[in-house]
Amino acid sequence: MLDYVDLKYKPTKNDLVVQYYVEPAKGLTFEQACEQVAAESSIGTWTELSTMNKKIATKLRPSVYSINKKKRLARIAYPQELFEAGNMPQILSAIAGNIYGMKVIDNLRLTDITFPKKMVQSFKGPRYGIKGIRKMLKLPKRPLLGTIVKPKVGLDEAHHAKVAYDSWVGGLDIVKDDENLTSMSFNNFQKRIDKTLKLRDKAERETGEKKIYMPNITAETFEMLKRAKYVERHGGEYVMVDVLTAGFAGLQTVRDHVFQVLHAHRAGHGALTRNPKHGITMHVLAMISRLIGVDQLHIGTADVGKMEGSPDEVLEIEREIEEPMIKGKNHILAQDWHGVKPVFAVASGGLHPGSIPKVHARMGPDVIMQFGGGVHGHPNGTLSGARAVRQAMDAVQHKSSLTDWAQNRVELKKALIKWGEAK
Amino acid sequence: MLDYVDLKYKPTKNDLVVQYYVEPAKGLTFEQACEQVAAESSIGTWTELSTMNKKIATKLRPSVYSINKKKRLARIAYPQELFEAGNMPQILSAIAGNIYGMKVIDNLRLTDITFPKKMVQSFKGPRYGIKGIRKMLKLPKRPLLGTIVKPKVGLDEAHHAKVAYDSWVGGLDIVKDDENLTSMSFNNFQKRIDKTLKLRDKAERETGEKKIYMPNITAETFEMLKRAKYVERHGGEYVMVDVLTAGFAGLQTVRDHVFQVLHAHRAGHGALTRNPKHGITMHVLAMISRLIGVDQLHIGTADVGKMEGSPDEVLEIEREIEEPMIKGKNHILAQDWHGVKPVFAVASGGLHPGSIPKVHARMGPDVIMQFGGGVHGHPNGTLSGARAVRQAMDAVQHKSSLTDWAQNRVELKKALIKWGEAK
């Protein structure tokens, strides 16, 4: 049997480096479990092979070069020849494939990756990125403000468009479909696009501001392309995809063939990311999304809203998708992004106007804040809810407290009262 | 706030029914957590909405109609209008989406689904199924025997083809690429197809048997279609896809546009399925795969090989993908498959000739047994390993014990000794 644990090995710039949390099955040492993880994710299997040769064993051999038994962390360096450039499903079938099902581990979590330059450059990365989006919206500095039409599903096309319109004229930049609204019996995709984009144009004329609609095109791949084309023909600059339920083969195709800004919703990520000992971290899913090339990605709210995700974790993800170079420290692996554009971080899930100062303080100006119930749950409805969000953002821009700012702004005042931020 | 728990509700044939394992966050009752799961997966959110109306609340309202607090199981019936027919990513964004990330649950597992007739019929199902495959191979009864070329990656095209050839002439029906072998710097997809299919033809001529090669086309969607077309043009009747790392949007596209038999590898499933309290069961992933229409699916080895999966669990999955009608009992939900063809179950992972009687006894004749190390790890190499597998299958067909049968069959004898089944 080959021996993959080699603590003297130093990863080269041609290695793809992976950090795993490894919990060995009963009776196995940490090293034994790491051996099997390294083998099954590369050139090995459970028994010695007659077909193995020295060239393969030398050239393609992975090295478990770092072990932290206390934290149960192992780092494995894989020669990049083990991976097909530009093929994310293949990369995952190796480093996030069979290994999760092996009897030799009780839990296994893929926690971070360093992609070598050749792999980074084999993917397209975001078409627009933060700069491109800010230019399109003519908003050079402040966080973008958006809403999700609510209820999540149920409104017909005309109602949907009206709720969107109210949101825009109330002061929001962005209106987004819910992650589970595609083309329904009660709300047809094409009709929704027609009506909503018409009212977007009206809202733009009336406010003098650029307004964005993000229609959810999530479906079978060709259907996604067809829907994106329809949106494009009707003057929509954005599309949205549920990247995890659609999957990475489809996402790569959308990135290759769709020319609009690509908003990535992460519905379902928690099935992979939630357990601290198993699965794949959101950090890794965010890296993959940046590589493939989404322009905007939901990463959490840094503990403000209804979704889990600690501030530390969410901020690390934000850095990873927005910065040009990540320097490895603590449990974070280094990553040179080699010029891949930054992704706009999206904070969404249970936010309301009162959440804005906290999210802004934690996540900075390069964030898109999305409010669903926090707009449409306003006591006076969507228009007032949208105004309250914009007023809260204005307060932060003017370094005022929300309660002061709300003194003569009734929409914000009512929002703060409803969601327990003022009496 | 709406109230979704309704234990008097009886699911109708137009409902999509889901069973979840639900672990509420601290301080919440089981019912409270179920309320939130039902809301977030359908029409609700965390706060009351001004945009909600009675029609939606009545027509699209889900019902938590069954609760087993001891086992932490809840069943929710969703009106099928909540889902887009034929759009698996959308269905998953609803019932396996945001809910995993909510603070109100500590763990959540999607354990079973009943799809209503309209949803079942909106997907294509397998093109060939078990009968179609048996007809193609002219093997009406016995389990199919296959191998995975090993090492998993590293062999060049010519070596790969030679290992495949040895496997076929040794007596195996099927040769399959590894899940992480696609188009590599050391092994180009097109060259591999050319060489391997040529030697398949030779093996067919020499043995008089039908031989199958399953090339792994996993990649970005268009690249998968291109690769499938290449295989088709060169006379290959099969393609293989890593369904979870490619994702369901891409898989649906492959099912729609590829006319070969579709072999589904489940690399990466364990990230979702392994934890008994969280994620999605393999049972559900298998149902989804049958609906979309794979012809063959890896479901485990019923505790015989290197991969986890209890016999009970694996056999329940096998029934679900092979039978026309599942009657609900215990924790299993009913499913009328409405004529969707059965999927051939694949047992793979750490099997060797000595495993055959056990796998056959547990999983029955409608199973494809795959041997990787269990063929190429044979002391005398691949050809002997393949012979040993076929001999072991012959023994089972003739109701002989392996040790008796091995008396004058040296390949089987050596295999049994190597893997500890004989001295």
Side-chain angles (χ1 to χ4, degrees):
Chain A
M1 197 77 90
L2 281 168
D3 183 9
Y4 300 111
V5 177
D6 178 2
L7 300 179
K8 284 183 189 148
Y9 182 84
K10 287 207 188 320
T12 78
K13 64 181 177 27
N14 297 320
D15 289 340
L16 186 151
V17 176
V18 175
Q19 180 177 269
Y20 294 105
Y21 168 91
V22 182
E23 230 178 88
K26 216 179 151 181
L28 289 180
T29 66
F30 189 77
E31 285 86 350
Q32 284 169 330
C34 290
E35 280 288 332
Q36 293 296 320
V37 169
E40 183 68 32
S41 54
S42 61
I43 54 174
T45 191
W46 57 279
T47 186
E48 218 165 323
L49 296 169
S50 63
T51 46
M52 179 60 85
N53 66 50
K54 209 178 161 185
K55 199 178 136 198
I56 298 170
T58 311
K59 209 182 158 198
L60 297 178
R61 171 203 159 118
S63 303
V64 184
Y65 71 93
S66 160
I67 273 177
N68 181 334
K69 277 192 216 180
K70 205 174 155 192
K71 293 190 171 171
R72 291 178 166 162
L73 294 177
R75 291 180 179 178
I76 306 180
Y78 297 92
Q80 66 180 351
E81 287 73 22
L82 285 166
F83 308 103
E84 182 182 355
N87 186 341
M88 191 54 75
Q90 188 277 339
I91 295 174
L92 292 176
S93 288
I95 62 169
N98 278 356
I99 49 176
Y100 292 107
M102 291 192 301
K103 285 178 182 170
V104 297
I105 55 104
D106 276 349
N107 279 297
L108 182 74
R109 186 163 169 87
L110 171 49
T111 63
D112 204 357
I113 305 179
T114 299
F115 292 96
K117 184 174 182 182
K118 185 183 156 189
M119 288 294 131
V120 171
Q121 294 185 334
S122 73
F123 292 94
K124 297 211 163 75
R127 195 183 286 277
Y128 298 91
I130 296 178
K131 266 194 198 167
I133 291 165
R134 286 199 173 282
K135 197 175 157 193
M136 179 184 283
L137 271 83
K138 295 174 190 139
L139 285 176
K141 277 189 184 167
R142 74 158 162 84
L144 310 188
L145 302 173
T147 189
I148 310 105
V149 174
K150 297 277 174 186
K152 294 166 80 75
V153 286
L155 295 178
D156 64 24
E157 301 88 351
H159 276 100
H160 182 282
K162 177 64 167 60
V163 171
Y165 172 79
D166 286 348
S167 307
W168 284 314
V169 296
L172 301 183
D173 310 304
I174 294 174
V175 172
K176 163 186 159 313
D177 286 349
D178 214 281
E179 76 282 354
N180 50 353
L181 179 74
T182 53
S183 193
M184 325 299 288
S185 57
F186 52 82
N187 187 320
N188 171 269
F189 183 81
Q190 298 193 352
K191 281 189 201 159
R192 179 168 83 247
I193 301 307
D194 297 349
K195 288 190 195 298
T196 309
L197 286 176
K198 260 183 205 155
L199 288 190
R200 178 207 58 181
D201 293 345
K202 187 165 184 269
E204 286 188 342
R205 284 193 305 271
E206 290 173 7
T207 61
E209 295 178 342
K210 179 70 199 155
K211 300 295 184 185
I212 293 299
Y213 173 43
M214 310 198 307
N216 183 5
I217 63 168
T218 303
E220 174 273 323
T221 320
F222 282 9
E223 188 61 35
M224 287 199 276
L225 298 185
K226 207 175 104 187
R227 289 178 186 180
K229 193 54 83 182
Y230 190 86
V231 173
E232 193 183 22
R233 276 204 310 273
H234 289 73
E237 306 97 337
Y238 265 70
V239 295
M240 156 187 170
V241 173
D242 298 344
V243 295
L244 290 161
T245 57
F248 295 124
L251 182 64
Q252 284 199 247
T253 313
V254 168
R255 172 59 186 87
D256 288 352
H257 298 277
V258 168
F259 297 91
Q260 288 119 303
V261 182
L262 184 50
H263 178 87
H265 193 284
R266 60 175 183 160
H269 78 92
L272 290 167
T273 63
R274 186 73 182 267
N275 186 308
K277 297 180 170 185
H278 194 70
I280 305 179
T281 56
M282 187 60 215
H283 191 102
V284 167
L285 297 179
M287 293 185 78
I288 291 170
S289 301
R290 182 175 182 179
L291 271 184
I292 292 178
V294 310
D295 293 293
Q296 307 183 166
L297 175 69
H298 289 241
I299 64 166
T301 51
D303 210 26
V304 182
K306 67 180 170 180
M307 297 303 192
E308 58 88 37
S310 73
D312 280 357
E313 187 200 340
V314 173
L315 295 184
E316 265 168 9
I317 298 169
E318 191 180 4
R319 277 191 290 271
E320 185 74 82
I321 63 170
E322 291 187 350
E323 296 193 0
M325 168 81 83
I326 303 297
K327 289 185 178 157
K329 59 169 188 172
N330 303 329
H331 56 290
I332 296 297
L333 293 178
Q335 181 66 54
D336 184 341
W337 281 94
H338 298 288
V340 174
K341 288 178 184 154
V343 177
F344 228 133
V346 179
S348 182
L351 298 185
H352 55 77
S355 321
I356 292 178
K358 212 183 268 183
V359 175
H360 185 261
R362 288 190 182 162
M363 301 180 72
D366 280 338
V367 66
I368 299 172
M369 299 186 206
Q370 290 280 146
F371 308 80
V375 163
H376 315 295
H378 191 282
N380 296 117
T382 297
L383 183 66
S384 299
R387 282 184 184 146
V389 166
R390 184 71 175 263
Q391 289 162 356
M393 191 73 247
D394 287 345
V396 171
Q397 298 294 99
H398 288 83
K399 300 190 193 314
S400 159
S401 80
L402 294 191
T403 37
D404 283 356
W405 199 257
Q407 296 273 335
N408 42 16
R409 286 171 184 89
V410 63
E411 293 90 351
L412 180 56
K413 193 168 189 179
K414 285 194 178 177
L416 296 180
I417 291 168
K418 165 139 188 186
W419 289 300
E421 306 271 331
K423 281 177 197 170
Chain B
M1 199 76 90
L2 282 169
D3 182 9
Y4 300 111
V5 176
D6 178 2
L7 300 180
K8 284 182 189 147
Y9 182 84
K10 287 207 190 319
T12 79
K13 63 182 176 31
N14 297 319
D15 289 340
L16 186 150
V17 176
V18 175
Q19 180 177 270
Y20 295 105
Y21 169 91
V22 182
E23 230 178 86
K26 215 179 152 181
L28 289 181
T29 66
F30 189 76
E31 286 85 351
Q32 284 169 331
C34 291
E35 281 287 332
Q36 293 296 320
V37 169
E40 184 68 32
S41 54
S42 61
I43 54 174
T45 190
W46 58 278
T47 187
E48 219 165 321
L49 297 169
S50 62
T51 47
M52 180 60 85
N53 66 50
K54 211 177 160 185
K55 200 179 134 197
I56 298 170
T58 311
K59 210 183 157 197
L60 297 178
R61 170 204 159 118
S63 303
V64 183
Y65 71 94
S66 161
I67 274 176
N68 181 334
K69 278 192 215 179
K70 205 176 153 192
K71 293 190 170 169
R72 292 179 165 163
L73 295 177
R75 291 179 180 180
I76 306 180
Y78 297 91
Q80 65 181 350
E81 288 73 23
L82 285 167
F83 309 103
E84 181 181 356
N87 186 341
M88 190 55 75
Q90 189 276 339
I91 295 174
L92 293 175
S93 289
I95 62 170
N98 278 355
I99 49 177
Y100 292 107
M102 292 192 301
K103 285 178 183 170
V104 296
I105 55 104
D106 277 348
N107 279 298
L108 182 73
R109 185 162 168 88
L110 171 48
T111 63
D112 205 356
I113 305 177
T114 299
F115 292 96
K117 185 175 180 182
K118 187 183 156 189
M119 288 294 131
V120 171
Q121 294 184 334
S122 72
F123 293 94
K124 297 211 163 75
R127 194 183 287 277
Y128 298 90
I130 295 178
K131 266 193 199 169
I133 291 165
R134 287 199 173 283
K135 198 176 156 193
M136 179 183 283
L137 272 82
K138 294 176 190 136
L139 285 176
K141 277 187 184 170
R142 75 158 161 84
L144 309 188
L145 303 173
T147 190
I148 310 106
V149 174
K150 297 276 173 184
K152 295 166 80 76
V153 287
L155 296 178
D156 64 24
E157 302 88 351
H159 276 99
H160 182 283
K162 177 63 167 62
V163 171
Y165 172 78
D166 286 348
S167 307
W168 284 315
V169 296
L172 301 183
D173 309 305
I174 293 173
V175 172
K176 163 185 157 316
D177 286 348
D178 215 283
E179 76 283 353
N180 49 354
L181 179 74
T182 52
S183 194
M184 325 299 288
S185 57
F186 53 83
N187 187 319
N188 173 269
F189 183 81
Q190 298 193 353
K191 280 189 201 158
R192 179 168 83 246
I193 301 307
D194 296 349
K195 288 189 194 298
T196 309
L197 286 176
K198 259 184 206 156
L199 288 190
R200 178 207 58 181
D201 293 345
K202 186 166 185 272
E204 287 188 342
R205 284 193 305 272
E206 289 172 7
T207 61
E209 296 178 341
K210 180 71 199 153
K211 300 297 183 184
I212 293 298
Y213 173 43
M214 311 198 306
N216 182 6
I217 63 168
T218 303
E220 175 273 324
T221 321
F222 282 9
E223 187 62 36
M224 287 198 278
L225 299 184
K226 208 174 101 187
R227 290 178 187 180
K229 193 53 83 181
Y230 190 87
V231 173
E232 194 183 21
R233 275 204 311 272
H234 290 73
E237 306 97 337
Y238 265 71
V239 294
M240 156 187 170
V241 173
D242 298 344
V243 296
L244 291 161
T245 56
F248 295 125
L251 182 65
Q252 285 198 247
T253 312
V254 167
R255 171 59 186 86
D256 288 354
H257 298 277
V258 168
F259 297 89
Q260 288 120 303
V261 183
L262 184 49
H263 178 89
H265 194 284
R266 60 175 183 161
H269 78 93
L272 289 166
T273 63
R274 186 73 183 267
N275 186 307
K277 297 180 170 185
H278 194 70
I280 306 179
T281 57
M282 186 61 215
H283 192 103
V284 167
L285 296 179
M287 293 185 78
I288 291 170
S289 302
R290 181 175 183 179
L291 272 183
I292 292 177
V294 310
D295 293 293
Q296 306 183 167
L297 176 68
H298 289 242
I299 64 166
T301 50
D303 211 25
V304 182
K306 68 181 169 180
M307 297 302 191
E308 58 88 36
S310 74
D312 280 359
E313 187 200 339
V314 173
L315 295 184
E316 265 166 9
I317 298 169
E318 191 180 6
R319 277 192 289 272
E320 185 75 81
I321 63 170
E322 291 187 350
E323 296 194 359
M325 167 80 84
I326 304 298
K327 289 185 177 156
K329 59 169 190 174
N330 302 330
H331 56 289
I332 297 295
L333 292 178
Q335 181 66 55
D336 183 343
W337 281 95
H338 298 288
V340 175
K341 288 179 184 152
V343 178
F344 228 133
V346 179
S348 183
L351 298 185
H352 55 78
S355 321
I356 292 178
K358 213 183 270 185
V359 175
H360 186 260
R362 289 189 182 162
M363 300 181 73
D366 280 339
V367 66
I368 299 171
M369 299 186 205
Q370 292 278 149
F371 308 80
V375 163
H376 315 294
H378 192 283
N380 296 116
T382 297
L383 183 66
S384 298
R387 282 185 183 147
V389 166
R390 184 70 176 261
Q391 288 162 355
M393 191 72 247
D394 287 346
V396 172
Q397 299 293 100
H398 288 85
K399 302 195 193 311
S400 159
S401 79
L402 294 191
T403 37
D404 283 355
W405 199 256
Q407 296 274 335
N408 42 17
R409 287 170 182 90
V410 63
E411 293 90 352
L412 180 56
K413 194 167 189 177
K414 285 195 177 175
L416 296 180
I417 291 168
K418 164 139 189 186
W419 288 300
E421 305 271 332
K423 279 176 196 169

